[in-house]
């Protein structure tokens, strides 16, 4: 079929060629009746549930972790799935860290320092002032879409800068949600890597920090980054 | 900046891809096809690059999944041809009186070559430009347009008699 297309005015409108509007005709009407409406609400909901289940089943089977006994802000644990870093925790006891990790990821957890070598070295380089940005993938599947929105937006705040809770709420298109934003930051499973410490209260005070040492750690991180004198 | 989470992609495009699959494959099977599309996408996601056109990429996967499902369905229907045929399972149309006329149009659309049918749906009901349709069908925008045109031409030839008769009846 090599003939040159020479569409009629009906076809030209269909094809989206300029200066033609769809003219009512039997074929268009029949097709519109068949296809315009799209699937029903019920059918969309059923498809969403099926898809969610299928994707959940694809979540990682194993999460690897390691313990770092010493750093400028103390000891910490890190966890890594097949898709990226899932945890950075200042939890004191290994048992409590593992309980928390298993509940979040529903995966088997295996201590495997080799797998974590790159993550640990980037975090230490950062804390010891040899690195400004991380080149790691993060796995935030266990979070709600809102929490992910907040944390993904915080990643855009560079070292040495900071935002207020209200500004962050505006950036994600939810002005007035400053309190919810604060809570979402508190749920950050990978502090330092996702720099939730770069978000402050509107009056310039430090606000909260859920990592070990609380606000003192937050202050130490901001000083390290030169955002505080 | 790390790659955006796969969930974001699902949230952005799930409903539109489902509507597309629904237009290519009836009822329940569209749900299975949606699942299959995003599972394939999920497994391949890490190998994609950051600047990928994810919308067209998802349409490409969905088009392939629909082709397989459609071929399987056609084969089953041929096998069952001499049996009494149950009404089509198009959930949308269950509530409407399914006129003979629409059934003929539906059959004509389903008999189109796969790429032409896919291009027709993307162009008319999925609000895509020829650039993206081409990316989804792995062809140039010009070829994508030709697919839509060929689909229209085939439908007109095939349905010429039926549509005129239905006009007279109304």
């Amino acid at each position: 079929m090599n003939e040159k297309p020479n569409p009629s005015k009906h076809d030209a409108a269909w094809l989206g060629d300029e200066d033609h509007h769809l003219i009512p005709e039997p074929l268009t009407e029949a097709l519109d009746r068949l296809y315009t409406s799209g699937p029903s609400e019920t059918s969309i909901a059923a498809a969403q549930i099926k898809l969610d289940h299928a994707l959940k089943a694809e979540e990682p089977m194993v999460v690897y972790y390691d313990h770092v006994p010493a750093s400028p802000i103390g000891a910490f644990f890190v966890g890594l799935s097949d898709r990226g870093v899932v945890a950075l925790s200042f939890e004191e006891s290994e048992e409590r860290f593992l309980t928390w990790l298993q509940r979040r990821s529903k995966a088997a957890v295996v201590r495997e320092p080799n797998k974590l070598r790159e993550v640990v070295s980037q975090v230490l380089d950062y804390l010891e002032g040899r690195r400004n940005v991380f080149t790691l993938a993060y796995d935030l599947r266990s979070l709600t879409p809102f929490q992910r929105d907040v944390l993904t937006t915080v990643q855009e705040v560079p070292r040495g800068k900071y935002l207020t809770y209200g500004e962050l709420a505006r950036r994600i298109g939810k002005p007035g949600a400053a309190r919810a934003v604060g809570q979402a930051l508190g749920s950050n499973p990978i502090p330092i890597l996702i720099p939730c410490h770069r978000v402050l209260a509107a009056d310039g005070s430090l606000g909260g920090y859920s990592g070990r040492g609380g606000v003192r750690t937050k202050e130490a991180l901001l000083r390290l980054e030169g955002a505080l004198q | 900046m790390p790659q955006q989470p796969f969930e974001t992609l699902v949230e952005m495009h799930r409903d539109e891809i489902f509507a597309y699959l629904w237009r290519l494959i009836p009822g329940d099977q569209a749900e299975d096809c949606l699942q299959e599309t995003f599972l394939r996408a999920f497994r391949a996601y890490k190998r994609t690059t950051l600047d990928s056109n994810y919308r067209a990429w998802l349409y490409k996967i969905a088009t392939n999944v629909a082709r397989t499902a459609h071929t399987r369905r056609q084969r089953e229907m041929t096998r069952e041809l001499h049996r009494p045929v149950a009404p089509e399972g198009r959930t949308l149309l269950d509530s409407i009186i399914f006129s003979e006329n629409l059934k003929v149009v539906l059959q004509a659309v389903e008999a189109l070559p796969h790429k032409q049918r896919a291009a027709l749906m993307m162009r008319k009901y999925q609000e895509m430009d020829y650039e993206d349709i081409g990316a989804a069908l792995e062809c140039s925008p010009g070829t994508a347009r030709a697919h839509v045109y060929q689909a229209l031409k085939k439908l007109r030839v095939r349905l010429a008699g039926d549509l005129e008769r239905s006009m007279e009846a109304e």
Side-chain angles (χ1 to χ4, degrees):
Chain A
M1 275 194 260
N2 281 328
E3 83 237 69
K4 182 141 172 59
N6 179 25
S8 71
K9 59 182 194 249
H10 289 312
D11 288 343
W14 259 92
L15 291 162
D17 295 349
E18 284 174 35
D19 298 330
H20 287 284
H21 298 287
L22 272 186
I23 300 143
E25 51 144 350
L27 177 63
T28 305
E29 279 171 19
L31 288 171
D32 282 352
R33 280 179 68 188
L34 284 168
Y35 296 110
T36 301
S37 78
S40 69
E41 295 291 327
T42 328
S43 168
I44 293 171
Q48 288 182 358
I49 291 168
K50 255 193 195 175
L51 179 58
D52 281 351
H53 281 300
L55 287 173
K56 276 248 155 54
E58 291 282 307
E59 281 180 7
M61 301 305 289
V62 184
V63 170
Y64 300 103
Y65 75 97
D66 194 17
H67 181 242
V68 180
S71 87
I73 56 164
F76 61 90
F77 288 94
V78 274
L80 179 72
S81 77
D82 59 336
R83 278 207 266 170
V85 184
V86 284
L88 193 157
S89 165
F90 301 105
E91 191 64 73
E92 307 263 353
S93 108
E94 180 159 356
E95 197 187 324
R96 278 171 60 185
F97 167 68
L98 292 181
T99 310
W100 172 82
L101 185 60
Q102 259 163 336
R103 203 175 47 231
R104 287 192 83 87
S105 68
K106 297 168 191 72
V109 287
V110 180
R111 185 158 185 171
E112 184 66 75
N114 277 337
K115 301 259 188 199
L116 274 300
R117 194 173 292 158
E118 178 60 25
V119 178
V120 169
S121 108
Q122 288 202 19
V123 175
L124 288 179
D125 281 354
Y126 165 82
L127 291 173
E128 287 160 10
R130 293 188 298 271
R131 169 182 282 277
N132 285 330
V133 286
F134 298 104
T135 55
L136 299 165
Y138 307 141
D139 183 347
L140 300 177
R141 273 176 291 179
S142 63
L143 302 179
T144 65
F146 177 75
Q147 290 170 331
R148 278 200 300 270
D149 252 15
V150 170
L151 295 177
T152 312
T153 308
V154 174
Q155 282 175 255
E156 293 161 10
V157 184
R159 182 182 181 130
K161 302 274 189 236
Y162 56 83
L163 283 182
T164 67
Y165 294 104
E167 281 166 352
L168 181 53
R170 273 196 296 283
R171 275 207 198 182
I172 61 165
K174 303 229 165 75
R179 185 176 294 269
V181 162
Q183 279 163 2
L185 290 170
S187 71
N188 181 6
I190 42 175
I192 298 176
L193 293 175
I194 293 182
C196 57
H197 58 276
R198 292 179 195 151
V199 188
L200 308 180
D203 63 2
S205 70
L206 289 174
Y209 194 63
S210 54
R212 190 202 15 236
V215 175
R216 264 189 304 137
T217 305
K218 186 170 185 173
E219 192 178 342
L221 289 170
L222 288 168
R223 273 188 206 290
L224 171 75
E225 298 181 344
L228 289 182
Q229 295 304 312
Chain B
M1 248 326 253
Q3 202 176 24
Q4 63 177 338
F6 186 74
E7 284 70 14
T8 312
L9 212 62
V10 176
E11 281 154 28
M12 281 172 67
H13 300 296
R14 178 192 51 212
D15 291 355
E16 105 176 77
I17 294 290
F18 182 54
Y20 174 58
L21 289 166
W22 177 90
R23 291 181 171 114
L24 294 178
I25 302 287
D28 290 358
Q29 284 185 57
E31 292 172 19
D32 294 337
C33 289
L34 181 74
Q35 189 175 319
E36 179 65 21
T37 299
F38 277 96
L39 284 179
R40 283 193 201 178
F42 176 69
R43 288 169 194 146
Y45 187 54
K46 272 186 288 187
R47 297 194 297 274
T48 62
T49 52
L50 260 180
D51 58 347
S52 297
N53 177 349
Y54 285 118
R55 185 174 184 230
W57 179 65
L58 288 171
Y59 270 95
K60 182 169 94 183
I61 300 173
T63 305
N64 290 337
V65 169
R67 174 191 287 121
T68 312
H70 187 64
T71 313
R72 191 172 50 229
R73 194 164 144 266
Q74 296 265 354
R75 208 167 37 228
E76 281 162 10
M77 280 169 55
T78 317
R79 218 182 296 143
E80 289 171 4
L81 212 60
H82 53 281
R83 291 195 220 159
V85 182
E88 284 286 334
R90 283 213 161 248
T91 44
L92 158 73
L93 295 163
D94 286 349
S95 54
I96 305 176
I97 299 160
F98 199 113
S99 73
E100 279 306 305
N101 182 31
L102 280 183
K103 203 185 244 172
V104 170
V105 176
L106 182 64
Q107 279 165 356
V109 173
E110 302 214 332
L112 288 172
H114 188 68
K115 280 191 176 179
Q116 294 178 11
R117 199 160 65 96
L120 186 75
M121 295 303 164
M122 285 191 265
R123 164 74 202 130
K124 179 76 189 329
Y125 299 105
Q126 301 294 134
E127 293 168 12
M128 290 173 78
D129 56 27
Y130 289 123
E131 197 74 38
D132 276 4
I133 299 174
L137 296 179
E138 297 177 279
C139 63
S140 69
T143 307
R145 185 181 181 281
H147 282 317
V148 179
Y149 182 61
Q150 290 302 333
L152 282 172
K153 233 173 86 171
K154 286 211 177 83
L155 289 177
R156 287 195 201 291
V157 170
R158 173 113 185 236
L159 297 169
D162 292 294
L163 288 170
E164 273 158 34
R165 269 197 300 282
S166 85
M167 288 275 279
E168 283 159 18
E170 283 171 22

PDB file of all heavy atoms in Angstrom, chain A residues 169-195:
ATOM      1  N   ALA A 169       6.010  23.308  52.363  1.00  0.00           N
ATOM      2  CA  ALA A 169       4.599  22.996  52.107  1.00  0.00           C
ATOM      3  C   ALA A 169       4.141  23.658  50.818  1.00  0.00           C
ATOM      4  O   ALA A 169       3.447  23.047  49.999  1.00  0.00           O
ATOM      5  CB  ALA A 169       3.738  23.458  53.282  1.00  0.00           C
ATOM      6  N   ARG A 170       4.562  24.913  50.606  1.00  0.00           N
ATOM      7  CA  ARG A 170       4.188  25.609  49.369  1.00  0.00           C
ATOM      8  C   ARG A 170       4.807  24.923  48.160  1.00  0.00           C
ATOM      9  O   ARG A 170       4.183  24.773  47.123  1.00  0.00           O
ATOM     10  CB  ARG A 170       4.633  27.074  49.426  1.00  0.00           C
ATOM     11  CG  ARG A 170       3.604  27.987  50.094  1.00  0.00           C
ATOM     12  CD  ARG A 170       3.866  29.458  49.797  1.00  0.00           C
ATOM     13  NE  ARG A 170       5.143  29.913  50.356  1.00  0.00           N
ATOM     14  CZ  ARG A 170       5.326  30.191  51.653  1.00  0.00           C
ATOM     15  NH1 ARG A 170       4.329  30.072  52.517  1.00  0.00           N
ATOM     16  NH2 ARG A 170       6.503  30.596  52.081  1.00  0.00           N
ATOM     17  N   ARG A 171       6.053  24.512  48.290  1.00  0.00           N
ATOM     18  CA  ARG A 171       6.740  23.875  47.153  1.00  0.00           C
ATOM     19  C   ARG A 171       6.059  22.599  46.676  1.00  0.00           C
ATOM     20  O   ARG A 171       6.115  22.266  45.497  1.00  0.00           O
ATOM     21  CB  ARG A 171       8.187  23.522  47.523  1.00  0.00           C
ATOM     22  CG  ARG A 171       9.117  24.666  47.327  1.00  0.00           C
ATOM     23  CD  ARG A 171      10.501  24.157  47.050  1.00  0.00           C
ATOM     24  NE  ARG A 171      11.448  25.224  47.289  1.00  0.00           N
ATOM     25  CZ  ARG A 171      12.761  25.103  47.090  1.00  0.00           C
ATOM     26  NH1 ARG A 171      13.245  23.956  46.671  1.00  0.00           N
ATOM     27  NH2 ARG A 171      13.557  26.110  47.313  1.00  0.00           N
ATOM     28  N   ILE A 172       5.451  21.867  47.595  1.00  0.00           N
ATOM     29  CA  ILE A 172       4.771  20.652  47.141  1.00  0.00           C
ATOM     30  C   ILE A 172       3.312  20.945  46.817  1.00  0.00           C
ATOM     31  O   ILE A 172       2.518  20.040  46.613  1.00  0.00           O
ATOM     32  CB  ILE A 172       4.854  19.498  48.179  1.00  0.00           C
ATOM     33  CG1 ILE A 172       4.192  19.903  49.492  1.00  0.00           C
ATOM     34  CG2 ILE A 172       6.274  19.064  48.400  1.00  0.00           C
ATOM     35  CD1 ILE A 172       3.925  18.726  50.405  1.00  0.00           C
ATOM     36  N   GLY A 173       2.970  22.232  46.756  1.00  0.00           N
ATOM     37  CA  GLY A 173       1.626  22.619  46.332  1.00  0.00           C
ATOM     38  C   GLY A 173       0.577  22.447  47.418  1.00  0.00           C
ATOM     39  O   GLY A 173      -0.607  22.345  47.123  1.00  0.00           O
ATOM     40  N   LYS A 174       0.997  22.408  48.686  1.00  0.00           N
ATOM     41  CA  LYS A 174       0.029  22.287  49.778  1.00  0.00           C
ATOM     42  C   LYS A 174       0.296  23.353  50.840  1.00  0.00           C
ATOM     43  O   LYS A 174       0.667  23.033  51.972  1.00  0.00           O
ATOM     44  CB  LYS A 174       0.142  20.893  50.435  1.00  0.00           C
ATOM     45  CG  LYS A 174      -0.059  19.739  49.475  1.00  0.00           C
ATOM     46  CD  LYS A 174      -1.051  18.726  50.031  1.00  0.00           C
ATOM     47  CE  LYS A 174      -1.559  17.751  48.988  1.00  0.00           C
ATOM     48  NZ  LYS A 174      -0.597  16.726  48.600  1.00  0.00           N
ATOM     49  N   PRO A 175       0.142  24.637  50.464  1.00  0.00           N
ATOM     50  CA  PRO A 175       0.402  25.681  51.449  1.00  0.00           C
ATOM     51  C   PRO A 175      -0.541  25.481  52.622  1.00  0.00           C
ATOM     52  O   PRO A 175      -1.683  25.095  52.443  1.00  0.00           O
ATOM     53  CB  PRO A 175       0.080  26.975  50.691  1.00  0.00           C
ATOM     54  CG  PRO A 175      -0.795  26.566  49.557  1.00  0.00           C
ATOM     55  CD  PRO A 175      -0.403  25.153  49.208  1.00  0.00           C
ATOM     56  N   GLY A 176      -0.058  25.725  53.809  1.00  0.00           N
ATOM     57  CA  GLY A 176      -0.914  25.521  54.976  1.00  0.00           C
ATOM     58  C   GLY A 176      -0.723  24.143  55.583  1.00  0.00           C
ATOM     59  O   GLY A 176      -1.242  23.861  56.655  1.00  0.00           O
ATOM     60  N   ALA A 177       0.033  23.274  54.896  1.00  0.00           N
ATOM     61  CA  ALA A 177       0.234  21.920  55.425  1.00  0.00           C
ATOM     62  C   ALA A 177       1.572  21.804  56.154  1.00  0.00           C
ATOM     63  O   ALA A 177       2.170  20.730  56.221  1.00  0.00           O
ATOM     64  CB  ALA A 177       0.144  20.891  54.303  1.00  0.00           C
ATOM     65  N   ALA A 178       2.046  22.937  56.725  1.00  0.00           N
ATOM     66  CA  ALA A 178       3.378  22.941  57.346  1.00  0.00           C
ATOM     67  C   ALA A 178       3.505  21.863  58.427  1.00  0.00           C
ATOM     68  O   ALA A 178       4.526  21.187  58.530  1.00  0.00           O
ATOM     69  CB  ALA A 178       3.670  24.316  57.947  1.00  0.00           C
ATOM     70  N   ARG A 179       2.433  21.687  59.209  1.00  0.00           N
ATOM     71  CA  ARG A 179       2.498  20.697  60.291  1.00  0.00           C
ATOM     72  C   ARG A 179       2.620  19.268  59.723  1.00  0.00           C
ATOM     73  O   ARG A 179       3.446  18.481  60.173  1.00  0.00           O
ATOM     74  CB  ARG A 179       1.248  20.815  61.166  1.00  0.00           C
ATOM     75  CG  ARG A 179       1.260  19.929  62.384  1.00  0.00           C
ATOM     76  CD  ARG A 179       0.025  20.188  63.233  1.00  0.00           C
ATOM     77  NE  ARG A 179       0.034  21.531  63.809  1.00  0.00           N
ATOM     78  CZ  ARG A 179       0.556  21.811  65.002  1.00  0.00           C
ATOM     79  NH1 ARG A 179       1.105  20.853  65.717  1.00  0.00           N
ATOM     80  NH2 ARG A 179       0.534  23.032  65.481  1.00  0.00           N
ATOM     81  N   ALA A 180       1.801  18.973  58.700  1.00  0.00           N
ATOM     82  CA  ALA A 180       1.862  17.646  58.066  1.00  0.00           C
ATOM     83  C   ALA A 180       3.231  17.426  57.436  1.00  0.00           C
ATOM     84  O   ALA A 180       3.772  16.312  57.466  1.00  0.00           O
ATOM     85  CB  ALA A 180       0.763  17.516  57.014  1.00  0.00           C
ATOM     86  N   VAL A 181       3.801  18.503  56.886  1.00  0.00           N
ATOM     87  CA  VAL A 181       5.146  18.410  56.303  1.00  0.00           C
ATOM     88  C   VAL A 181       6.152  18.040  57.388  1.00  0.00           C
ATOM     89  O   VAL A 181       7.009  17.179  57.194  1.00  0.00           O
ATOM     90  CB  VAL A 181       5.527  19.748  55.619  1.00  0.00           C
ATOM     91  CG1 VAL A 181       7.027  19.854  55.405  1.00  0.00           C
ATOM     92  CG2 VAL A 181       4.797  19.875  54.292  1.00  0.00           C
ATOM     93  N   GLY A 182       6.013  18.681  58.556  1.00  0.00           N
ATOM     94  CA  GLY A 182       6.898  18.371  59.680  1.00  0.00           C
ATOM     95  C   GLY A 182       6.812  16.906  60.059  1.00  0.00           C
ATOM     96  O   GLY A 182       7.832  16.242  60.300  1.00  0.00           O
ATOM     97  N   GLN A 183       5.586  16.386  60.080  1.00  0.00           N
ATOM     98  CA  GLN A 183       5.406  14.966  60.423  1.00  0.00           C
ATOM     99  C   GLN A 183       6.026  14.052  59.372  1.00  0.00           C
ATOM    100  O   GLN A 183       6.640  13.034  59.692  1.00  0.00           O
ATOM    101  CB  GLN A 183       3.919  14.642  60.583  1.00  0.00           C
ATOM    102  CG  GLN A 183       3.385  15.059  61.947  1.00  0.00           C
ATOM    103  CD  GLN A 183       1.867  15.124  61.988  1.00  0.00           C
ATOM    104  OE1 GLN A 183       1.194  14.820  60.989  1.00  0.00           O
ATOM    105  NE2 GLN A 183       1.329  15.520  63.126  1.00  0.00           N
ATOM    106  N   ALA A 184       5.841  14.433  58.087  1.00  0.00           N
ATOM    107  CA  ALA A 184       6.416  13.618  57.013  1.00  0.00           C
ATOM    108  C   ALA A 184       7.937  13.597  57.126  1.00  0.00           C
ATOM    109  O   ALA A 184       8.575  12.562  56.901  1.00  0.00           O
ATOM    110  CB  ALA A 184       5.979  14.154  55.651  1.00  0.00           C
ATOM    111  N   LEU A 185       8.524  14.747  57.491  1.00  0.00           N
ATOM    112  CA  LEU A 185       9.985  14.794  57.657  1.00  0.00           C
ATOM    113  C   LEU A 185      10.412  13.877  58.799  1.00  0.00           C
ATOM    114  O   LEU A 185      11.456  13.230  58.734  1.00  0.00           O
ATOM    115  CB  LEU A 185      10.439  16.223  57.943  1.00  0.00           C
ATOM    116  CG  LEU A 185      10.327  17.199  56.767  1.00  0.00           C
ATOM    117  CD1 LEU A 185      10.576  18.627  57.235  1.00  0.00           C
ATOM    118  CD2 LEU A 185      11.303  16.833  55.656  1.00  0.00           C
ATOM    119  N   GLY A 186       9.584  13.826  59.840  1.00  0.00           N
ATOM    120  CA  GLY A 186       9.875  12.950  60.973  1.00  0.00           C
ATOM    121  C   GLY A 186       9.867  11.482  60.582  1.00  0.00           C
ATOM    122  O   GLY A 186      10.447  10.640  61.256  1.00  0.00           O
ATOM    123  N   SER A 187       9.195  11.163  59.467  1.00  0.00           N
ATOM    124  CA  SER A 187       9.131   9.765  59.033  1.00  0.00           C
ATOM    125  C   SER A 187      10.279   9.397  58.092  1.00  0.00           C
ATOM    126  O   SER A 187      10.322   8.292  57.570  1.00  0.00           O
ATOM    127  CB  SER A 187       7.802   9.510  58.316  1.00  0.00           C
ATOM    128  OG  SER A 187       7.825  10.169  57.061  1.00  0.00           O
ATOM    129  N   ASN A 188      11.184  10.350  57.852  1.00  0.00           N
ATOM    130  CA  ASN A 188      12.308  10.112  56.940  1.00  0.00           C
ATOM    131  C   ASN A 188      13.117   8.883  57.369  1.00  0.00           C
ATOM    132  O   ASN A 188      13.757   8.901  58.411  1.00  0.00           O
ATOM    133  CB  ASN A 188      13.204  11.359  56.931  1.00  0.00           C
ATOM    134  CG  ASN A 188      14.388  11.216  55.990  1.00  0.00           C
ATOM    135  OD1 ASN A 188      14.484  10.229  55.260  1.00  0.00           O
ATOM    136  ND2 ASN A 188      15.273  12.195  56.010  1.00  0.00           N
ATOM    137  N   PRO A 189      13.098   7.810  56.568  1.00  0.00           N
ATOM    138  CA  PRO A 189      13.824   6.600  56.980  1.00  0.00           C
ATOM    139  C   PRO A 189      15.331   6.695  56.719  1.00  0.00           C
ATOM    140  O   PRO A 189      16.087   5.855  57.201  1.00  0.00           O
ATOM    141  CB  PRO A 189      13.200   5.502  56.114  1.00  0.00           C
ATOM    142  CG  PRO A 189      12.730   6.211  54.887  1.00  0.00           C
ATOM    143  CD  PRO A 189      12.390   7.616  55.288  1.00  0.00           C
ATOM    144  N   ILE A 190      15.755   7.708  55.936  1.00  0.00           N
ATOM    145  CA  ILE A 190      17.187   7.844  55.642  1.00  0.00           C
ATOM    146  C   ILE A 190      17.669   9.278  55.878  1.00  0.00           C
ATOM    147  O   ILE A 190      18.038   9.986  54.935  1.00  0.00           O
ATOM    148  CB  ILE A 190      17.530   7.361  54.205  1.00  0.00           C
ATOM    149  CG1 ILE A 190      16.486   7.838  53.185  1.00  0.00           C
ATOM    150  CG2 ILE A 190      17.634   5.870  54.133  1.00  0.00           C
ATOM    151  CD1 ILE A 190      16.848   7.480  51.740  1.00  0.00           C
ATOM    152  N   PRO A 191      17.674   9.708  57.179  1.00  0.00           N
ATOM    153  CA  PRO A 191      18.182  11.041  57.490  1.00  0.00           C
ATOM    154  C   PRO A 191      19.618  11.171  57.001  1.00  0.00           C
ATOM    155  O   PRO A 191      20.281  10.161  56.766  1.00  0.00           O
ATOM    156  CB  PRO A 191      18.090  11.122  59.022  1.00  0.00           C
ATOM    157  CG  PRO A 191      18.011   9.716  59.491  1.00  0.00           C
ATOM    158  CD  PRO A 191      17.325   8.958  58.400  1.00  0.00           C
ATOM    159  N   ILE A 192      20.086  12.392  56.900  1.00  0.00           N
ATOM    160  CA  ILE A 192      21.398  12.763  56.347  1.00  0.00           C
ATOM    161  C   ILE A 192      21.372  12.596  54.834  1.00  0.00           C
ATOM    162  O   ILE A 192      21.585  13.564  54.113  1.00  0.00           O
ATOM    163  CB  ILE A 192      22.584  11.966  56.937  1.00  0.00           C
ATOM    164  CG1 ILE A 192      22.662  12.249  58.450  1.00  0.00           C
ATOM    165  CG2 ILE A 192      23.901  12.357  56.250  1.00  0.00           C
ATOM    166  CD1 ILE A 192      23.725  11.446  59.169  1.00  0.00           C
ATOM    167  N   LEU A 193      21.060  11.383  54.319  1.00  0.00           N
ATOM    168  CA  LEU A 193      21.018  11.188  52.867  1.00  0.00           C
ATOM    169  C   LEU A 193      19.893  12.030  52.270  1.00  0.00           C
ATOM    170  O   LEU A 193      20.058  12.699  51.257  1.00  0.00           O
ATOM    171  CB  LEU A 193      20.799   9.708  52.529  1.00  0.00           C
ATOM    172  CG  LEU A 193      21.957   8.797  52.906  1.00  0.00           C
ATOM    173  CD1 LEU A 193      21.604   7.344  52.649  1.00  0.00           C
ATOM    174  CD2 LEU A 193      23.213   9.169  52.129  1.00  0.00           C
ATOM    175  N   ILE A 194      18.710  11.974  52.868  1.00  0.00           N
ATOM    176  CA  ILE A 194      17.658  12.935  52.535  1.00  0.00           C
ATOM    177  C   ILE A 194      17.712  13.998  53.633  1.00  0.00           C
ATOM    178  O   ILE A 194      17.444  13.715  54.800  1.00  0.00           O
ATOM    179  CB  ILE A 194      16.269  12.266  52.472  1.00  0.00           C
ATOM    180  CG1 ILE A 194      16.233  11.310  51.287  1.00  0.00           C
ATOM    181  CG2 ILE A 194      15.185  13.330  52.332  1.00  0.00           C
ATOM    182  CD1 ILE A 194      14.912  10.627  51.080  1.00  0.00           C
ATOM    183  N   PRO A 195      18.114  15.220  53.261  1.00  0.00           N
ATOM    184  CA  PRO A 195      18.536  16.198  54.268  1.00  0.00           C
ATOM    185  C   PRO A 195      17.373  16.896  54.966  1.00  0.00           C
ATOM    186  O   PRO A 195      17.174  18.096  54.817  1.00  0.00           O
ATOM    187  CB  PRO A 195      19.362  17.191  53.445  1.00  0.00           C
ATOM    188  CG  PRO A 195      18.770  17.126  52.078  1.00  0.00           C
ATOM    189  CD  PRO A 195      18.284  15.717  51.888  1.00  0.00           C
TER     190      PRO A 195
END
